[in-house]
């Protein structure tokens, strides 16, 4: 459903529909992805009226969702599609290939697919198009690489809500005693190839019924394979999912095996062999005798290891660390005391300051920082100095009404191309939290981009550098920047780096996070929420990626209680 709305949004953009209409469809798609219920189910139960109670879904979009549910089609989408050159949609999926250029390539060069696009670039025809040139052609080629590297994988933010919905459905089947998510999603990778579920039946005779029920779930489009213990399906959203039903005595062995990673499994199996054990997805054998496998803990113990959290099972040093007893105690969601980067209706957020505070309190937080955009970022409603001060007074008034909770004054301040900031120092000094961001001049050479970020990190008012690489997963490659130097500068100046947990960003990614942690840099895990519901969903992604980056609670700024945080910010 969300995908259908996204596709329509993309076509609307090409036809030059008003920006607002395109954005409305994109926003609706995002809302649907974050739901813990299925939009189709809402429509069936309560009609368009039920859909319209969702944020961002009005009459028009609700009607389209209804049409999609009842007929499987969307007339508006099909009408626009027919009016466009064939293959245009494929081209639009290429990051860095905007609607105007896609149109030009499709009409002037008669390009219909990705292979054709690649040929047209190689022959120099794309570069020769009006207003394009070599640089633009190279950028499109890079976009094609990005598309290919993500082909067949979906972002964590698509996979997680979808998997939780299916998990809940499986858990509610009468024959199911227990069910868990396995695979890369349990490891919280930033993209997911397919979903993996493992279930224990209440009694062996329940297994066929569980598999059959799974194949019939409303999220399922088609069944790829079905056997006595396994069912593979393709979901309506295009994602594949596997369900395996295993007996309780094998569950730990199966969970370990199907959680992966593959390289990690190989290491564990090797360790088992040195202890005279053979290990597979059905259990552990000592000689011919079965010696357990009901829980993961049991297996780890048998091979001489402490429990290794799924998020770091990648064979990148965790087995050695575990053997030497220096496995980190990873951060958990409950360790976070607040969130230091979010937007409100003062700039491009959907909710007011009071609404964001209420959502954060519901999560058990003690503080938030409201960081709306700065003045030069006009497209995102950047605040003038005057408005920033007005907003600060609103925060003072809000704080007087709140108990045991503090709203901090902040701003997401643009780092200008030369590394100076978008507000003068005396204005920054009035804020509790200054989030410094690069939103422009992405194409600077690496040395300049690095110098720009380092200069911002050196400003004594700056709390943290936001989304340090600027990448958007599957959409925009990181800009050229020397992260080792950025990490060093953060360490030198005592400035923090951000793990921006917005679904598309997850920036810093796990690799650089681990480097930053090793260098002793403090990380802020922020959701950059533009809507109150994102505080919770972003927290899940942020914690998952932080754990993959080996972060402990002590490595993270926003695990500090309010008084310690304020002391640290005042430094
Ligand atoms: P994905 O789906 O590409 O995001 O990644 P995974 O890790 O979920 O991979 P998937 O779904 O193909 O398989 C689930 C787990 O099953 C995987 O993490 C490890 C285990 N597994 C699959 N194939 C093999 C294999 O050939 N050898 C070993 N040792 N384990 C395997
Ligand atoms: Ca998988
Ligand atoms: Ca799988
Ligand atoms: Zn932001």
């Amino acid at each position: 459903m969300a995908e259908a709305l996204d596709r329509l949004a993309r076509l609307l953009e090409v036809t030059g529909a008003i920006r607002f209409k395109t954005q409305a469809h994109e926003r609706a798609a995002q809302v649907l992805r974050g739901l813990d219920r299925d939009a189709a189910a809402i429509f069936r139960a309560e009609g368009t009226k039920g859909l319209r109670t969702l944020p961002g879904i009005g009459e028009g979009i609700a009607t389209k969702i209804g049409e999609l549910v009842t007929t499987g089609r969307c007339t508006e989408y099909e009408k626009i599609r027919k009016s466009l050159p064939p293959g245009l949609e494929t081209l639009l999926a290429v990051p860095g290939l905007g609607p105007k250029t896609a149109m030009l390539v499709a009409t002037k060069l008669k390009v219909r697919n990705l292979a054709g696009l690649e040929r047209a670039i190689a022959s120099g025809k794309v570069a020769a198009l009006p207003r394009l040139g070599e640089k633009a052609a190279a950028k499109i080629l890079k976009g094609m690489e990005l598309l290919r590297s993500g082909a067949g994988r979906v972002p964590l933010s698509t996979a997680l809500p979808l998997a939780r919905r299916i998990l809940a459905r499986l858990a509610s089947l009468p024959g199911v005693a227990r069910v868990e998510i396995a695979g890369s999603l349990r490891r919280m990778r930033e993209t997911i190839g397919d979903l993996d579920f493992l279930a224990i039946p209440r009694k062996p005779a329940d297994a066929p019924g569980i598999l059959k029920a799974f194949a019939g779930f409303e999220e399922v489009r088609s069944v790829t394979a079905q056997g006595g213990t396994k069912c593979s399906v393709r979901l309506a959203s295009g994602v594949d999912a596997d369900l395996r039903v295993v007996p309780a005595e094998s569950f730990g062995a199966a969970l370990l095996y199907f959680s992966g990673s593959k390289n990690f499994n190989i290491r564990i199996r090797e360790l088992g062999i040195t202890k005279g054990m053979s290990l597979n997805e059905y259990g552990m054998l000592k000689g011919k005798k079965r010696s357990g496998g009901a829980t993961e803990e049991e297996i780890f113990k048998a091979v001489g290891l402490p429990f290794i959290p799924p998020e770091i099972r990648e064979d990148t040093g965790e087995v050695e660390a575990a053997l030497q007893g220096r496995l980190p105690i990873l951060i958990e969601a409950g360790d976070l005391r607040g969130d230091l980067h979010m937007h409100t209706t003062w700039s491009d957020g959907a909710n007011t300051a009071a609404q964001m505070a209420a959502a954060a309190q519901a999560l058990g937080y003690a503080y938030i920082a409201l960081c709306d955009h700065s003045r030069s970022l006009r497209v995102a409603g950047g605040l003038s100095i005057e408005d920033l001060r007005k907003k600060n007074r609103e925060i003072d008034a809000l704080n007087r009404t709140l108990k045991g909770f503090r709203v901090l004054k902040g701003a997401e301040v643009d780092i200008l191309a030369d590394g100076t900031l978008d507000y003068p120092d005396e204005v920054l000094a009035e804020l509790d939290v200054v989030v410094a961001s690069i939103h422009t001049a992405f194409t600077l050479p690496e040395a300049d981009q690095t110098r720009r970020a380092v200069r911002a990190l050196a400003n004594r008012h700056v709390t943290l550098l936001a989304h340090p690489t600027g990448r958007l997963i599957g959409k925009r490659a990181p800009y050229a920047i020397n992260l080792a130097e950025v990490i060093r500068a953060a360490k030198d100046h005592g400035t923090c780096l951000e793990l921006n947990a917005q679904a598309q960003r997850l920036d810093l990614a796990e690799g650089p996070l681990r480097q930053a942690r090793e260098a002793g840099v403090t990380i802020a895990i922020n959701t950059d929420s533009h809507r109150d519901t994102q505080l919770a969903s972003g927290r899940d992604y942020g914690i998952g990626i932080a754990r993959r980056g080996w972060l402990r609670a002590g490595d993270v700024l926003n695990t500090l209680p309010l008084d310690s945080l304020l002391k640290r910010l005042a430094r």
Side-chain angles (χ1 to χ4, degrees), residues 341-343 371 373 412 435 437 439 467 500 502 528 530:
H341 179 176
M342 69 195 62
H343 299 258
C371 296
H373 288 291
E412 178 171 18
V435 169
S437 296
H439 288 133
H467 41 73
N500 187 297
Q502 215 184 85
D528 197 357
H530 286 65

Side-chain angles (χ1 to χ4, degrees), residues 159-200:
L160 191 60
L162 183 63
R164 282 182 177 162
R165 215 150 62 202
I166 293 172
L167 187 75
R169 236 184 251 293
L170 283 166
S172 71
L173 294 176
V176 169
R178 180 173 170 195
V179 56
E180 295 285 344
I181 292 171
S184 53
L185 183 57
R186 182 165 181 237
R187 304 200 314 280
M188 294 295 274
R189 279 196 60 182
E190 63 184 39
T191 64
I192 307 296
D194 74 350
L195 307 180
D196 299 280
F197 299 95
L198 280 184
I200 305 179

